[in-house]
């Protein structure tokens, strides 16, 4: 790892502030926020108190790290994330993942809200990522490569099949409308044009969004297992009857929150039994 004083400092804070040593971390994206209510909190730390953590600026995202129990399993939960479109660098967007890895996290579940590109998807459905297409125009591993880590990282299997299997099982128990598919990541902050969505569909995308891929790449670089799930908050541009809005994204996500809460709680429970 490139020496980074705030990383060391932040990791020390986590070790100092709680005795919990979770192996699983969950990043709550838009629409997964209410999952917080299911966590038995041991320690809550606002990002403002964690050196190096960028402050999220997006409505609907809170900004704290919670250490606690979910479904009887110790977890670290990142409530809110920093996005590339907010102007943060890739290093800032992925800083939290580096902190979690140094804190001893082995497995990372990333969640997000995404637009449905597949015509089979409806708002309120969920999609487990089986793969991604990085169209963000940037890669978080660009730049010096720390000694001991791969310069050219293999991404044949970013999303871990064992964790994916747990998600499938959890989705069944949570009665979520469930799909598997490919997530295409863009920098945003604009939504896409209908022509772009038609193009992305031809390229093999099932959903589009503005997050997750940088964190997944850095986590894989550090040897973590990764799983990811999208809440389909809207049909992508040109597929549905009306224009897209962040309010629609938040409203659908809120409606789906009963399922997203149950899904993540069941996942954590199953994970604890691995
Ligand atoms: N496009 C990109 N990102 C998104 C969308 C979308 O339609 N919905 C939620 N995040």
């Amino acid at each position: 790892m490139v020496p980074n004083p705030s990383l060391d400092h932040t990791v020390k804070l986590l070790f100092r502030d709680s005795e919990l040593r979770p192996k699983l971390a969950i990043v709550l994206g838009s629409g997964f926020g209410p999952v917080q209510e299911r966590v038995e909190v041991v320690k809550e730390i606002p990002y403002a108190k964690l050196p190096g953590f960028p402050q999220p600026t997006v409505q609907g995202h809170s900004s704290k790290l919670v250490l606690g129990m979910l479904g009887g399993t110790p977890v670290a939960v990142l409530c809110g994330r920093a996005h590339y479109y907010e102007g943060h660098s890739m290093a800032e967007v992925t800083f939290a993942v580096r902190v979690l890895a140094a804190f001893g996290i082995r497995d990372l579940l990333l969640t997000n809200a995404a637009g449905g590109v597949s015509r089979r998807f409806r708002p309120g459905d969920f999609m487990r990522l089986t793969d991604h297409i990085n169209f963000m125009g940037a890669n978080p591993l660009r730049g010096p490569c720390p000694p001991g880590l791969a310069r050219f990282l293999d991404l044949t299997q970013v999303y871990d099949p064992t964790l994916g299997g747990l998600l499938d099982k959890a989705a069944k128990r949570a009665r979520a409308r469930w799909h598997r598919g490919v997530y295409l990541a863009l920098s945003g902050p604009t939504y896409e044009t209908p022509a772009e969505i038609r193009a992305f569909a031809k390229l093999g995308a099932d959903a589009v969004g503005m997050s997750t891929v940088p964190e997944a790449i850095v986590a894989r670089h550090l040897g973590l297992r990764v799983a990811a799930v999208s809440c389909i908050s809207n049909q992508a541009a040109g597929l549905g009857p009306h224009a897209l809005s962040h309010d629609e994204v938040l409203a659908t996500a809120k409606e789906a929150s009963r399922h997203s809460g149950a899904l993540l709680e069941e996942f954590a429970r199953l994970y604890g039994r691995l």
Side-chain angles (χ1 to χ4, degrees):
M1 186 93 357
V2 179
N4 180 334
S6 52
L7 188 131
D8 297 344
H9 186 176
T10 306
V11 175
K12 263 194 205 131
L13 277 181
L14 296 187
F15 278 123
R16 191 198 66 192
D17 278 2
S18 163
E19 297 197 339
L20 208 64
R21 297 287 176 262
K23 294 286 163 227
L24 172 66
I26 304 178
V27 177
L28 300 182
S30 302
F32 288 83
V35 174
Q36 286 170 54
E37 290 154 25
R38 296 177 181 246
V39 180
E40 286 169 53
V41 178
V42 172
K43 181 78 191 175
E44 224 178 67
I45 312 167
Y47 292 166
K49 295 217 168 123
L50 292 171
F53 266 63
Q55 301 303 304
T57 60
V58 191
Q59 178 216 345
H61 288 256
S62 63
S63 45
K64 62 187 175 191
L65 188 151
V66 174
L67 296 169
M69 303 296 286
L70 179 64
T73 301
V75 284
V77 183
L78 290 177
C79 306
R81 59 151 62 83
H83 298 84
Y84 191 54
Y85 62 72
E86 293 173 272
H88 303 300
S89 66
M90 278 288 166
E92 288 168 323
V93 166
T94 57
F95 179 78
V97 172
R98 296 187 188 282
V99 168
L100 291 171
F103 182 54
I105 293 298
R106 301 295 312 141
D107 296 296
L108 181 65
L109 174 60
L110 300 163
T111 68
N112 61 51
V117 175
S118 165
R119 289 184 179 272
R120 294 179 298 125
F121 292 6
R122 292 288 167 269
D125 290 2
F126 292 85
M127 181 190 88
R128 145 154 101 84
L129 277 64
T130 52
D131 205 347
H132 73 231
I133 298 172
N134 181 7
F135 267 14
M136 295 185 94
N139 191 299
L141 302 187
R142 179 169 174 267
C145 182
L149 294 186
R151 170 73 288 188
F152 302 104
L153 179 67
D154 172 52
L155 293 181
T156 307
Q157 190 154 81
V158 178
Y159 302 96
D160 184 80
T162 303
L163 297 180
L166 291 192
L167 273 174
D168 291 345
K169 214 180 227 181
K172 210 173 250 173
R173 292 190 186 174
R175 298 176 187 278
R177 296 197 305 265
W178 193 242
H179 309 276
R180 275 162 252 176
V182 174
Y183 176 89
L184 185 143
L186 297 154
S187 71
T190 55
Y191 290 116
E192 303 69 36
T193 64
E196 287 168 340
I197 293 301
R198 287 193 298 274
F200 298 153
K202 286 195 178 142
L203 291 178
D206 296 297
V208 272
M210 307 175 194
S211 68
T212 302
V213 162
E215 293 122 302
I217 291 174
V218 167
R220 290 302 302 133
H221 202 215
L222 298 172
L224 274 60
R225 291 192 299 182
V226 176
V229 52
S230 297
C231 172
I232 304 300
S233 53
N234 55 281
Q235 289 178 288
L239 299 182
H242 42 247
L244 308 192
S245 76
H246 188 53
D247 287 343
E248 181 196 0
V249 170
L250 293 181
T252 309
K254 194 166 171 209
E255 255 172 58
S257 66
R258 195 166 47 85
H259 288 116
S260 55
L263 171 69
L264 297 200
E265 189 170 352
E266 282 303 327
F267 175 80
R269 196 188 317 281
L270 292 166
Y271 177 89
R273 298 202 196 122
L274 262 186

